[in-house]
């Protein structure tokens, strides 16, 4: 640091004295008598100029004495303070450098804290190099004026780019919110369930069995008036509630299971002989713990549940607690039902050390996010997900089944679909975890007779869905086996039968495995045999007033184009021996030879009448392969019916490939009605080439022009259109269908459309279609790649049923719903608002510090935002957009696992070449088409940051106004207390008090409270600091004070962005544990180093200490810290949000180090903190 020459200084001082001659007259004598010592500081500006700033006087009493002798001088002194960069030292003053290196900008004496308005301020700069150049003093006033205006600029004023960007962001948010709440919504079709619950607590499961007995508990469910006995007698089923879930949520499914067994199954001896018994439902009370926010809660629950499973199984060995048949084997496993995060806890149980081998073999989860955590605010929950998923993938990658610890486990994951706004249904997928030999994912809208999406809670109580779950459970149990369930392959077949449509490409048909059970006898001269390729159409049943068979000849195998049989009716198909109205048989000619008896068949259907000649057909009943479809009539509105609506008679559909029925010669459609009735039937053999179409078009073309599909007049009853490009869950579409030109009363049914994906199994039905909203859960952001390779033909498919008797063309149009697609971004990218804003805030702070180091003016957050919007933010978003495009392109080209051994049980097991983290970066998109989401989401986050900034400004200004009003003194009181110094805005506490406060807080963090609580306290303290800084800046109108206020406010904004998204959830969990009197510390949230820099920084700012400027290469460290936060927030912020706290913590540590660079530390000074003598008295020495 250099001083000016004596001549230059004298000239400057002379100019200063001349300018202030008039104002200095009244107190020049007193000022000359005062002895002060000042230092000078060279402050470089951006254009290479240097300004010499005066520091505080060594003896503040001299200035305060002058101010008291001449009160009229306060205005001029205040003017000098506001123009501190233009103030020059008096020639009478010494230019010796002050020995004090403190950068404390307080306007008070260290001893009494009185406000000294006449004292000049000091701006400390670290390692300032010599400023060289041809700058002259003549051009300095303009430059100083420019930065003085910048320093005192209102923090509310925003540049035009900031206003435009914020307006666009607000508009985008409003459009997205409107789209999310009102467009592309699935219909709610759940019917309410009824139950009469009773719960019996297992009191004996206490601390002798588990260390969590005081925190959790287990209950046995019983349905009143059905089964009130508390003894176990059936198959154990354990229900695990989810995040903040209640043990009482088991009621709907348990009540349905108890009622169904009591009224139906227990009266069927064949069912009982097959091993079906009542289900004993156990449920766990976790005190509504928040497992989605805290990984340790998942581990605690999993450990407790393994101990609970062992205890539950022991109940069946105790004759006092069990009423099972003595000849039945004791249960060795428990069926698990898990809701939401309870499904993740269920999978965690299998990797815990206390897991009892083979104690779990069947897991059904509902709305459970298996693929990835719903939020990544806790490091432990991210690590748990990684460990669980790696364990399951590794298990299914074993070459031999004996080496697979999960070989016997079946996992069924059920998703609610678009109505679930708690957990994105994309995360429910098992495609990246479990091969289809051991589990699958299905949506509730796919399940037969359910056909509706469900929200996060309705999936537990929806009446039509709980019936399916209860019946499926009874089908998979077998008390004759020790595991209490059927073998794994049989369980998978049953689950697919109950939860899938039956129209999947792999759907098993029971017809080929059946033996003929019906002997159909017809007249020889019967004319009911249709010609080859003719469509059977029965507009009414029972017109002949007697049973009648209609035969469709089966085409020979190898027919060009391939054939398939389809049949649709509004009547239910009869099984063999039932006396309904319609029966479908697949028959072969069966000549009855002499001595051969017709008693070989369980059913003999003789329709020959009195005819002497007859034809005998050996037939198989097709009712077991019937597929249930929602009814589509002129009055249909939804595929389901509600309580206040009339129950709809579903359609019955049959579909066989020619290979499935090639062993037969005829399809017999038997009309068994004896009186005319309004039932109808359509049956035909159609060409696969005509029935299936693939439309190849890109998203850009579809977005620009849409697509139209023309269905010809002569067409099959069922058409299927596949569009491979439509696979993203981020886009939604609008489908429109023209009316068929059918006369009134002649149309048998209105168009019915099934929208479906091959994997995961998501189907949606649209009845009486004129217009439909198409949205799907296909390829979603941040999802790991599937175990099974997707081929290029995968995409959305539309299966369209139309009445072929109308003989009219139908036009189907499909176009992208842009506004509806914006709403789909809410669920997929809502966690972006916890990460991307830190990108913006970090870049804004980086610019503030750079300007401060160059000019000495710490500009406001709003002004820095305007500067960043002109250069750094657009450049960063452009670079991130290019990176997103590159990552998506590489993800699309990444190799997928392909099964090459048809006999390998692993089928689609884990391939080591798959990178399951390849979609974790940036916006997680797997399609280069969506590169534009980076600037779009960046625009929204910029607007959100501006809004939060103004909210923080509003809060601090409001608190400042309240504080000023509370401390306001009337004029008469001010006159009486004129000699009493005003209360300072910043009363520096003693170092001893600050050290004790910090030590106590850190001690609490290390022992009892999580560091998130201390962080919240630090934020509240920072708000108070900002309020006091604003008050002081308003009173003094000093640029230095505005510097500090802008600095404190920006630090507050930085801290605020890590409160709600990263720290607050953990704090909620801790408070919840306190309410249930669970005081065990969080092992992962008591790291003192995670909060110490924040505490030290906030404590430093409470003393009103401005951060020093840096003019050497250390300034790059500050830029690197904030730029690193920005880059990490953009690339990894969504999937690893918890790291952002630690990165901001590092930046806070650097700021603390910068603050400490101006303080001299010594052991003697540290010891002086604990002595009664203040530091100021010690410096004064002995008094005479």
């Amino acid at each position: 640091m250099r001083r000016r020459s004596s001549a230059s200084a004298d000239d400057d001082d002379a100019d200063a004295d001349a300018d202030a001659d008039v104002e200095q007259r009244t107190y020049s004598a007193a000022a000359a008598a005062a002895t002060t010592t000042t230092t000078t500081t060279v402050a470089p500006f951006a254009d290479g100029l240097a300004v010499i700033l005066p520091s505080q006087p060594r003896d503040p009493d001299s200035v305060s004495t002058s101010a008291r002798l001449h009160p009229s001088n306060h205005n001029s002194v205040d003017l000098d303070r506001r123009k501190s960069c233009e103030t020059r030292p008096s020639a009478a003053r010494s230019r010796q450098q002050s020995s004090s290196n403190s950068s404390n900008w307080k306007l008070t004496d260290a001893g009494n804290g009185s406000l000294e308005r006449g004292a000049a301020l000091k701006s400390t700069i670290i390692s300032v190099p010599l400023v060289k150049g041809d700058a002259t003093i003549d051009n300095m006033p303009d430059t100083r004026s420019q930065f003085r205006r910048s320093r005192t600029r209102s923090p509310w004023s925003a540049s035009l780019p900031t206003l435009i960007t914020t307006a666009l962001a607000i508009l985008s948010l409003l459009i997205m919110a409107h789209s999310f709440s009102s467009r592309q919504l699935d219909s709610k079709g759940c019917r309410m369930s009824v139950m009469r619950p009773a719960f019996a607590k297992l009191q004996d499961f206490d601390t002798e069995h588990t260390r969590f007995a005081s925190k959790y508990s287990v209950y046995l469910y019983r349905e009143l008036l059905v089964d009130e006995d508390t003894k176990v007698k059936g198959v154990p089923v354990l229900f695990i509630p989810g995040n903040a879930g209640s043990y009482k949520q088991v009621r709907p499914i348990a009540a349905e299971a108890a009622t169904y067994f009591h009224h139906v199954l227990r009266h069927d001896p064949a069912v009982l002989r097959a091993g079906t018994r009542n289900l004993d439902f156990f449920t766990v009370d976790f005190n509504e713990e928040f497992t989605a926010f805290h990984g340790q809660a998942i581990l605690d629950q999993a450990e407790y549940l393994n101990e609970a499973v062992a205890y539950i199984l022991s109940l069946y060995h105790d004759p006092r607690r069990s009423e099972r048949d003595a000849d039945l084997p004791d249960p060795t496993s428990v069926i698990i039902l898990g809701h939401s995060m309870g499904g993740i806890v269920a999978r965690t149980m299998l990797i815990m050390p206390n897991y009892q081998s083979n104690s779990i073999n069947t897991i059904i989860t509902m709305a459970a996010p298996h693929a990835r955590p719903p939020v990544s605010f806790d490091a432990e929950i991210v690590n748990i997900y990684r460990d669980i998923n790696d364990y399951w993938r590794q298990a299914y990658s074993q070459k031999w089944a004996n080496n697979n610890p999960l070989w016997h486990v079946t996992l069924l994951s059920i998703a609610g679909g678009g109505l679930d706004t708690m957990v994105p249904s994309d995360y429910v997928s098992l495609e990246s975890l479990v091969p289809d030999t051991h589990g699958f994912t299905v949506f509730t809208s796919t399940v037969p007779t359910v056909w509706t999406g469900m929200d996060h809670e309705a999936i537990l109580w929806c009446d039509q869905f709980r019936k399916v779950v209860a019946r499926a459970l009874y089908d998979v149990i077998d008390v004759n086996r020790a595991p209490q369930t059927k073998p794994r392959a049989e369980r998978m077949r049953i689950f697919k039968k109950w939860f899938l449509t039956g129209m999947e490409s792999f759907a098993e048909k029971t017809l080929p495995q059946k033996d003929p059970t019906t002997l159909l006898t017809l007249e020889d001269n019967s004319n009911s045999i249709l010609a080859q390729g003719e469509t059977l159409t029965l507009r009414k049943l029972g017109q002949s007033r007697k049973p009648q068979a209609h035969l469709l000849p089966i085409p020979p195998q190898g027919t060009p184009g391939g054939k398939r049989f389809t049949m649709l009716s509004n009547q239910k198909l009869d099984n063999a021996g039932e006396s309904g109205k319609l029966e479908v048989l697949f028959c072969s000619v069966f000549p009855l030879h002499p001595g051969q008896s017709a008693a070989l068949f369980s059913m003999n259907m003789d329709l020959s009448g009195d005819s002497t000649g007859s034809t005998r057909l050996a037939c198989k009943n097709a009712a077991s392969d019937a597929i249930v479809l929602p009814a589509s009539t002129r009055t249909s509105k939804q595929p389901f019916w509600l309580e206040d609506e009339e129950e709809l008679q579903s359609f019955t559909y049959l579909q066989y490939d020619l290979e499935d029925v090639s062993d037969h010669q005829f399809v017999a459609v038997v009309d068994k009605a004896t009186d005319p009735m309004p039932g109808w039937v359509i049956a035909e053999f159609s060409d696969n080439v005509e029935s299936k179409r693939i439309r190849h078009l890109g998203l850009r073309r579809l977005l620009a022009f849409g697509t139209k599909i023309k269905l010809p007049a002569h067409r099959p009853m069922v058409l299927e259109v596949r569009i491979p490009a439509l696979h993203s869950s981020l886009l939604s579409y609008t489908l429109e269908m023209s009316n068929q030109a059918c006369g009134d009363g002649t149309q048998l049914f209105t168009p019915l459309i099934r929208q479906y994906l091959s994997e995961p199994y998501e189907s949606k039905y649209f009845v009486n279609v004129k217009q439909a909203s198409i949205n799907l859960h296909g390829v979603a952001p941040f999802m790991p790649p599937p175990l099974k390779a997707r081929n290029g033909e995968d995409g959305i498919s539309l299966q369209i049923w139309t009445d072929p008797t109308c003989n009219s063309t139908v036009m189907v149009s499909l176009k992208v719903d842009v506004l509806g697609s914006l709403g789909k971004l809410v669920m997929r990218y809502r966690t972006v608002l916890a990460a991307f804003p830190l990108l913006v805030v970090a870049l804004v702070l980086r610019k503030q510090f750079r300007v401060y180091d160059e000019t000495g003016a710490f500009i406001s957050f709003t002004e820095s935002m305007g500067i960043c919007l002109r250069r750094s933010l657009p450049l960063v978003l452009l670079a991130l957009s290019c990176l997103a495009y590159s990552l998506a392109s590489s993800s699309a080209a990444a190799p997928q696992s392909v099964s090459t051994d048809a006999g390998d049980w692993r089928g689609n097991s884990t391939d080591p070449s798959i990178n399951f983290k390849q979609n974790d970066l940036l916006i997680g998109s797997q399609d280069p088409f969506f590169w534009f989401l980076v600037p779009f989401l960046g625009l929204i986050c910029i607007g959100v940051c501006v809004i939060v900034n103004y909210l923080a400004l509003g809060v601090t200004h409001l608190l400042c106004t309240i504080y000023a009003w509370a401390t306001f003194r009337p004029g008469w009181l001010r006159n009486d207390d004129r000699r009493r110094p005003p209360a300072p805005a910043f009363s520096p506490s003693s170092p001893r008090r600050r050290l004790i406060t910090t030590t106590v807080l850190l001690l609490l963090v290390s022992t009892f409270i999580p560091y998130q609580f201390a962080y919240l306290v630090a934020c509240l303290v920072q708000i108070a600091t900002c309020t006091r800084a604003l008050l002081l800046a308003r009173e003094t109108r000093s640029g230095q004070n505005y510097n500090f206020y802008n600095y404190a406010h920006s630090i507050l904004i930085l801290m605020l962005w890590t409160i709600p998204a990263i720290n607050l959830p953990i704090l909620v969990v801790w408070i919840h544990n306190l309410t249930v009197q669970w005081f065990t510390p969080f092992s992962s949230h008591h790291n003192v180093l995670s909060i110490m820099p924040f505490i030290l920084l906030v404590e430093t700012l409470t003393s009103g200490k401005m951060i020093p400027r840096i003019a050497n290469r250390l300034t790059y460290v500050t830029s690197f810290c904030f730029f690193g936060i920005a880059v990490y927030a953009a690339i990894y912020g969504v999937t690893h949000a918890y790291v952002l706290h630690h990165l901001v913590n590092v930046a806070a540590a650097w700021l603390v180090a910068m603050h400490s660079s101006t303080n001299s530390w010594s052991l003697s000074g540290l010891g002086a903190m604990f002595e009664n003598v203040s530091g100021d008295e010690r410096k004064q020495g002995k008094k005479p």
Side-chain angles (χ1 to χ4, degrees), residues 254-292:
E256 174 60 28
T259 304
Y260 181 63
F261 181 83
H262 180 78
H263 293 297
V264 179
L265 297 181
R266 73 188 183 102
H267 302 294
D268 191 339
V271 171
L272 298 179
R273 285 194 301 271
T276 301
R277 293 294 187 274
N278 188 25
L279 296 176
D280 295 324
F281 277 88
F282 297 87
T283 181
V284 187
D285 182 11
F286 289 131
N287 289 305
E288 301 181 2
E289 194 168 32
F290 296 94
T291 48

Side-chain angles (χ1 to χ4, degrees), residues 690-693 695 708-721 735-740 751-753 798-803 807-813:
E690 297 180 0
S691 301
K692 297 181 179 180
R693 302 179 183 180
R695 297 295 298 269
K708 292 185 178 181
I709 305 169
K710 183 178 181 181
L711 307 183
H714 300 282
R715 61 182 180 273
M717 176 181 62
V718 185
L719 287 174
E720 187 172 324
V721 180
L735 182 143
E736 295 182 354
M737 193 170 188
S738 62
N739 294 325
Q740 295 187 97
L752 170 66
I753 294 181
L798 301 175
Q799 199 169 2
I800 306 172
W801 287 265
T802 55
D803 189 350
N807 293 326
S808 62
T809 60
V810 177
M811 187 65 67
V812 180
S813 64

Side-chain angles (χ1 to χ4, degrees), residues 873-885 922 934:
L873 278 172
L875 289 178
V876 170
L877 292 179
L878 177 61
L880 292 176
S881 300
C882 296
L883 178 61
Y885 185 88
L922 210 55
V934 173

Side-chain angles (χ1 to χ4, degrees), residues 183-200:
R183 295 182 69 92
Q184 291 287 335
L185 299 181
D186 296 337
S187 301
K188 297 181 179 180
C190 280
R191 297 187 291 273
M192 186 59 65
S193 56
V194 180
M195 73 289 293
R196 295 177 293 272
F199 297 90

